[in-house]
Amino acid sequence: MHIRYGRAGIMKKHEKKFNGTEPWRTDLSRICAHFSRYAEWWILGLGVFLRLKHFFENNSLWLDESWVAASAASRSFGEILFHRQIMPEFPEPPTVFFLIEKAFLSAFGNNEMALRFFPLLAGIVGLGAFFFLSRKILSRRDSLLALTLFSIAEPLVYYSAEVKQYSSDLCAAVFLFLFADHCLRFARIRGREIVFLALIGAGVVWISYPSIIVLLAIALLFFIRFFVERDRKLLGALAAAVLCWFSSFWLLYKVSLGAMDSSAPLKGMWKGAMLASSLVSFETFSWLGRILNAAFQDPLSFAWPVIGWALFSLGVFSFWQNDRGRTILFLLPVVITLVAAMAGKYPFQGRMLLFLVPSGYIFISSGFGFLVDRSGRWKRFAVGALLVVILISPVSEALAKFSQGRSRADNRQALQFLQDHFEAGDFIYMNTSAQPPFWYYAGSLGLGEMFPQQVFGVYKDGPQKAMKIGKFGRFTGEDESGKFLAFRYEYNSFDDHGLFQGTFGFNYDKLNFGKVPVGGSYQYPASGRTWLFLSAGDDYDNELNAMILDSFDQGLKRSLFYEGKNAAVYLYDIPVPSAEKGK
């Protein structure tokens, strides 16, 4: 017996079979179609989520953050504006950055989240601005790659919740690129755009030092265009704008940057990031290769710099064929920064290059598209293989940091422990890298109000009060008796609210300077209850801290201690002779 189906019956038969055995394919197709349609927003949301997750971890401040935090918390708005220095040995972030940090501290209290709120805001706004920038100048496929890299790259996520100015550097650069690209779309740039650029440029250098590099690139690009068009009126307006920028930058240099430019310790900190050899030499070419390869690893998050080099070069070539104006706009800041590094004026390394990341990802994504478009029948395989090579490092690092967190030193926890057990008359030793966290948390935790401060001299209009501490230097020395660690006594001054006001060191003489033999015993001066606070900013600190701790443990017994990540505090008793107690 044969059963005959009409057209409707056949459709029902197949629909029943499909719905009964493979319903997941329909759902998967819908999910893929939805993600494909709104991919940019999903990626953007992921980038915001990663930054918020880092922010809400609320990690303790580490060394580099602590001195910025202490400097912002311990000074008034007027003192920041007029550059009253309490830590002259440290590089000074931009003035407006400090003023904004102070505003958030005043509004939300002296805590880490208040300090990190502006970097977070700059990081999220910069991410959104890059989304619009990449969508304007790249194909959708290439812009998705650029946005993905920008969203998940660890340096960009990390500095979006660190008390430093690097996320605002990045945000300022993206907005300047956006504005310049907006101007390039006009057949003839109008005078009001130049006036606006002059005003924005004069102000932005006070919140982002590297923005002057981007501004210079924009000025050169506009100069080329106006010169080719023989537009004397706009050339004059551009000259006035540049004069406005450099007048503002000159003032900034006089009040802030000049001291950093002449600082030997600061230049020593960036040793290798600026050219030290003669311009024409083998060492120069070796240095160029080294720093450029390092830049693809940090901040661009490429595991294999050679791949980054290839994609970047192809991207420049592809852009040059299609749009020379935009090629100059995004390439010139890289070239200018490199020239500044060769002149010894700006370090070409790591976080100092964060503002160049938009240029890097735009050219790399364009190079990716260039290769994929020419891969022919191997297109699908080429896309997959290239994406794996490009994304393996940032994705794996993002996953690792997401699960492990980004805490660098448990300074808050260590100093909270010290505060909980501190008694009047206790003495404190610390290593050099522990001082900035000590300065900040003494104020934020209220520990500074507990310190006994004594008059040690007269400063300006009255007596100067401060707390005496012992500080170990960040070095080891050697003399006829062997290798040694060195400490000296210093005075740390705090106001009535426990906020740090300055440090005053004694000269290196026999009374105020101690040599502690490495691996040997040392008789520390009698000081009764004595705390040792150790913090580490790098592996070298950890090595020195182990030596310092060993010198205490050899002749003294711990009664209390706290040990956390790269931060620890120990309590010892160094008996004071009864004759001295009565003095």
Side-chain angles (χ1 to χ4, degrees), residues 327-484:
T327 308
I328 295 171
L329 173 63
F330 293 110
L331 187 59
L332 260 183
V334 180
V335 175
I336 294 171
T337 308
L338 195 56
V339 171
M342 296 174 76
K345 296 298 182 183
Y346 192 88
F348 200 95
Q349 183 175 311
R351 60 186 182 272
M352 303 300 290
L353 304 179
L354 216 66
F355 75 102
L356 295 179
V357 166
S359 296
Y361 285 158
I362 283 169
F363 284 130
I364 286 168
S365 300
S366 180
F368 165 80
F370 182 85
L371 278 181
V372 170
D373 289 340
R374 285 155 182 78
S375 57
R377 60 176 181 167
W378 299 98
K379 185 172 184 177
R380 186 170 297 178
F381 173 80
V383 170
L386 265 179
L387 283 177
V388 168
V389 170
I390 294 170
L391 296 176
I392 188 170
S393 180
V395 168
S396 59
E397 193 169 12
L399 290 172
K401 294 297 183 181
F402 184 82
S403 60
Q404 298 168 7
R406 295 176 175 83
S407 175
R408 299 187 65 164
D410 293 333
N411 290 309
R412 179 181 63 230
Q413 296 86 335
L415 287 168
Q416 183 67 65
F417 181 88
L418 191 153
Q419 181 189 34
D420 292 342
H421 300 89
F422 187 83
E423 295 180 6
D426 287 0
F427 191 78
I428 301 176
Y429 285 92
M430 64 188 70
N431 67 316
T432 298
S433 295
Q435 265 197 303
F438 179 73
W439 293 335
Y440 172 71
Y441 283 111
S444 70
L445 296 176
L447 181 60
E449 299 177 52
M450 303 168 63
F451 294 151
Q453 299 192 75
Q454 62 189 70
V455 176
F456 73 94
V458 177
Y459 181 70
K460 290 186 178 179
D461 299 327
Q464 185 67 48
K465 290 184 177 181
M467 175 192 183
K468 187 178 179 181
I469 65 157
K471 185 185 78 173
F472 284 88
R474 196 174 186 268
F475 64 89
T476 57
E478 193 165 358
D479 58 14
E480 63 280 356
S481 60
K483 194 174 181 181
F484 65 86

Side-chain angles (χ1 to χ4, degrees), residues 249-320:
F249 188 74
W250 176 83
L251 180 60
L252 177 65
Y253 186 87
K254 285 294 182 183
V255 300
S256 177
L257 281 175
M260 289 191 283
D261 186 41
S262 59
S263 171
L266 186 57
K267 288 189 175 182
M269 185 173 71
W270 293 106
K271 186 178 180 180
M274 293 183 280
L275 183 63
S277 60
S278 60
L279 189 59
V280 182
S281 65
F282 174 77
E283 289 78 7
T284 299
F285 290 103
S286 175
W287 172 81
L288 277 171
R290 185 171 63 254
I291 65 164
L292 289 172
N293 282 340
F296 279 102
Q297 294 174 319
D298 181 18
L300 291 174
S301 294
F302 263 74
W304 301 284
V306 65
I307 304 296
W309 259 111
L311 291 173
F312 184 90
S313 302
L314 285 173
V316 171
F317 174 76
S318 174
F319 252 87
W320 186 258

Side-chain angles (χ1 to χ4, degrees), residues 14-35:
H14 285 289
E15 183 181 355
K16 183 178 180 181
K17 181 179 178 181
F18 180 79
N19 290 337
T21 59
E22 298 176 330
W24 58 271
R25 288 193 177 182
T26 304
D27 295 336
L28 184 61
S29 298
R30 288 173 181 170
I31 292 171
C32 290
H34 177 81
F35 180 80

Side-chain angles (χ1 to χ4, degrees), residues 87-133:
M87 288 176 279
E89 68 273 26
F90 291 99
E92 181 87 345
T95 302
V96 174
F97 173 83
F98 259 139
L99 291 171
I100 294 172
E101 287 293 293
K102 186 67 180 179
F104 280 112
L105 286 173
S106 301
F108 302 114
N110 190 5
N111 60 75
E112 295 95 330
M113 295 185 80
L115 286 160
R116 289 176 173 139
F117 189 78
F118 177 62
L120 173 72
L121 189 64
I124 292 176
V125 171
L127 172 63
F130 184 78
F131 162 62
F132 290 107
L133 178 66

